[in-house]
């Protein structure tokens, strides 16, 4: 049997990120996949030692644009806990609102790209039209569509008026109605099922052993989500992880689709329960010590390690992103797949290489 090595990426029509894999093939069957990373390394962790604590909020937001709010929230929690800062309760609710809007628009972006990978251009545009409403909310409430920069150490810099909250609720109701139709269109389509059901199966045991994260993990039957740690205002919100059990491409897609509805529900709950109060606590001095903190990114668990020595600059900032955790599971599920299925299987881990390489 003929064995050949072909490159997949970093430039490929289905990839929004420069992921590069060397695929060993026997005829049309993948027998091995070897990753090659390092195309977009930017040295953001090294930059941490040359930017003060407030400036670093802007730096970590640039690790990944579509989940920038969640990166900033995780970093701010690290500094706040080192300095024993009590974040006002209203600020915690506002952080939840903006972070869940980011989760929704990240998943909608991915769902559109996934539809595009099948050649469903109209479905791609329909999903991104819904995403545009989320971006419009970001722009109306924070002044920017992607990197909203609302988080600061000690709280948030912007508030939401009751009129803005009511407008968000109206937009969510419209988006939910549109998405229900798109869910039926996409998840019940013959072509989508043919390309995803039973493809790229990651068993429950493999998902645990290989350290999968986010929808990749929950699509294999694990009810694990960092929001269960009840950081920020999640302790007052009704929340349970979205889980599917088949572990294939279809399950991972279904988890993300359902999580969009869940994010809208969490925003609705947060708006209904948000208290009055201050937006930020006063911050004096510099932190000292080391700490870790975890939050749930759209792609999975985001882990920050921060070490400070009492100076104006962090001594060390280490970031582990969910795509880094999901690369080993990807390499495990590609062998045995047909070459034509590689783009779809790869896309279902939602790779973000700029996150991973920083």
């Amino acid at each position: 049997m003929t064995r050949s090595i072909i490159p997949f990426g970093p430039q490929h029509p289905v990839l929004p990120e420069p992921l590069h894999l060397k695929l060993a093939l026997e005829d049309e069957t993948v027998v091995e996949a070897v990753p090659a990373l390092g195309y977009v390394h930017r040295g953001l962790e090294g930059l941490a030692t040359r930017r003060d604590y407030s400036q670093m909020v802007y730096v970590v937001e640039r690790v990944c644009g579509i989940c920038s709010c969640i990166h900033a929230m995780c970093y701010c929690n690290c500094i706040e806990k080192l300095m024993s800062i009590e974040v006002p309760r209203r600020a915690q609710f506002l952080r939840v609102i903006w972070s869940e809007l980011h989760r929704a628009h990240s998943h909608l972006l991915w769902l559109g790209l996934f539809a595009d990978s099948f050649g469903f251009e109209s479905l791609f545009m329909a999903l991104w039209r819904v995403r545009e409403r989320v971006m419009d909310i970001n722009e109306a409430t924070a002044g920017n569509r992607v990197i909203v920069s609302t988080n600061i150490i000690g709280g948030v810099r912007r508030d939401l008026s009751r009129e803005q909250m009511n407008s968000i609720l109206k937009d969510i109701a419209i988006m939910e109605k549109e998405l229900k139709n798109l869910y039926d269109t996409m998840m019940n389509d013959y072509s989508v099922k043919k390309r995803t059901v039973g493809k790229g199966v990651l068993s429950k045991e493999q998902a645990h052993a290989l350290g999968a994260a986010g929808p990749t993990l929950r699509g294999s039957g694990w009810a694990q989500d960092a929001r269960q740690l009840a950081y920020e205002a999640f302790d007052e919100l009704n929340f349970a992880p979205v889980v599917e059990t088949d572990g294939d491409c279809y399950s991972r897609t279904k988890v993300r689709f359902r999580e969009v509805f869940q994010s809208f529900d969490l925003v609705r709950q947060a708006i209904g329960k948000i208290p009055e109060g201050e937006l930020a606590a006063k911050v004096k001095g510099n932190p000292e010590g080391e700490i870790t903190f975890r939050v749930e990114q759209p792609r999975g668990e985001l882990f920050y390690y921060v070490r400070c020595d009492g100076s104006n600059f962090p001594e060390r900032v280490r970031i582990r992103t969910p795509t880094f955790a999901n690369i080993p599971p990807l390499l495990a599920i590609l062998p045995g797949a047909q070459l034509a299925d590689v783009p779809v299987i790869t896309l279902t881990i939602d790779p973000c290489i700029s996150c991973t390489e920083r």
Side-chain angles (χ1 to χ4, degrees):
M1 187 176 291
T2 304
R3 184 172 178 136
S4 56
I5 307 294
I6 69 166
F8 175 75
Q11 302 298 326
H12 189 281
V14 81
L15 288 176
E17 294 276 342
L19 173 65
H20 179 46
L21 299 172
K22 295 177 183 178
L23 301 176
L25 301 178
E26 291 182 354
D27 290 337
E28 289 291 311
T29 303
V30 178
V31 294
E32 186 181 10
V34 179
L37 304 176
Y39 286 91
V40 289
H41 178 65
R42 293 165 289 161
L44 295 185
E45 290 182 357
L47 188 62
T49 61
R50 298 187 293 278
R51 294 291 183 269
D52 65 36
Y53 297 100
S54 296
Q55 291 172 332
M56 269 306 295
V57 179
Y58 298 103
V59 173
V60 299
E61 285 178 330
R62 269 76 185 167
V63 171
C64 178
I66 59 176
C67 43
S68 57
C69 181
I70 302 174
H71 272 280
M73 181 171 65
C74 190
Y75 168 77
C76 287
N77 267 277
C78 289
I79 304 302
E80 288 155 3
K81 284 172 172 44
L82 281 177
M83 300 181 71
S84 301
I85 296 171
E86 190 71 30
V87 177
R89 196 60 175 160
R90 185 176 180 85
Q92 291 181 327
F93 273 87
L94 290 170
R95 284 179 174 181
V96 167
I97 291 170
W98 275 304
S99 67
E100 290 305 315
L101 287 171
H102 271 67
R103 190 182 317 280
H105 97 69
S106 176
H107 282 339
L108 288 167
L109 180 147
W110 180 85
L111 287 164
L113 293 174
F114 199 55
D116 180 63
S117 72
F118 297 116
F120 295 166
E121 298 298 327
S122 295
L123 182 57
F124 162 67
M125 296 304 293
L127 286 161
W128 276 37
R129 184 169 61 243
V130 178
R131 177 175 173 263
E132 279 296 306
R133 287 188 178 274
V134 182
M135 312 299 280
D136 289 342
I137 292 172
N138 286 341
E139 186 174 15
T141 58
N144 205 350
R145 292 165 55 81
V146 180
I147 301 178
V148 297
S149 294
T150 53
N151 290 308
I152 59 174
I153 296 171
V156 293
R157 61 162 44 87
R158 291 179 180 272
D159 199 359
L160 292 177
S161 66
R162 180 47 57 182
E163 290 75 16
Q164 286 176 316
M165 293 182 190
N166 290 336
S167 177
I168 291 172
L169 293 176
K170 290 178 182 177
D171 282 332
I172 285 176
I174 294 170
M175 288 187 286
E176 284 177 330
K177 184 178 179 180
E178 293 175 346
L179 277 176
K180 285 176 183 176
N181 293 330
L182 295 175
Y183 179 89
D184 293 336
T185 300
M186 185 171 183
M187 302 310 295
N188 295 326
D189 183 82
Y190 171 82
S191 298
V192 172
K193 286 187 174 181
K194 195 72 175 175
R195 295 291 303 277
T196 58
V197 174
K199 307 289 186 180
V201 177
L202 181 69
S203 70
K204 188 172 183 178
E205 293 73 21
Q206 281 180 307
H208 181 267
L210 296 172
T216 305
L217 176 66
R218 293 188 286 277
S220 294
W222 290 97
Q224 184 172 319
D225 190 305
R227 287 174 287 181
Q228 292 171 292
L229 299 173
Y231 57 86
E232 301 299 355
F234 283 107
D235 57 337
E236 289 191 39
L237 304 180
N238 183 23
F239 170 79
V242 174
V243 177
E244 295 291 333
T245 57
D246 291 336
D248 56 7
C249 293
Y250 188 81
S251 287
R252 293 188 282 274
T253 304
K254 200 170 183 180
V255 166
R256 291 189 178 93
F257 226 132
R258 290 176 58 198
E259 283 190 358
V260 177
F261 292 107
Q262 183 184 59
S263 290
F264 289 154
D265 181 61
L266 288 169
V267 171
R268 186 181 290 110
Q269 289 186 56
I271 288 175
K273 294 182 178 181
I274 188 169
E276 297 296 327
E278 299 294 324
L279 297 181
K282 292 184 179 180
V283 179
K284 294 182 179 180
N286 294 319
E288 188 171 0
E290 59 181 354
I291 193 169
T292 62
F293 198 79
R294 296 180 293 156
V295 298
E296 188 71 18
Q297 239 191 13
R299 296 172 177 87
E301 182 186 277
L302 173 67
F303 178 96
Y304 266 67
Y305 165 80
V306 178
R307 185 170 71 238
C308 306
D309 57 7
S311 67
N312 292 330
F313 308 99
E315 186 180 0
R316 183 75 168 95
V317 175
R318 177 74 176 93
I319 307 166
R320 199 211 71 165
T321 61
T323 298
F324 184 82
N326 286 328
I327 293 293
L330 174 64
L331 302 180
I333 61 180
L334 283 176
Q338 296 298 296
L339 178 60
D341 291 327
V342 170
V344 171
I345 294 172
T346 301
L347 204 56
T348 58
I349 72 161
D350 193 6
C352 180
I353 304 304
S354 62
C355 262
T356 306
E357 298 178 7
R358 296 175 298 282

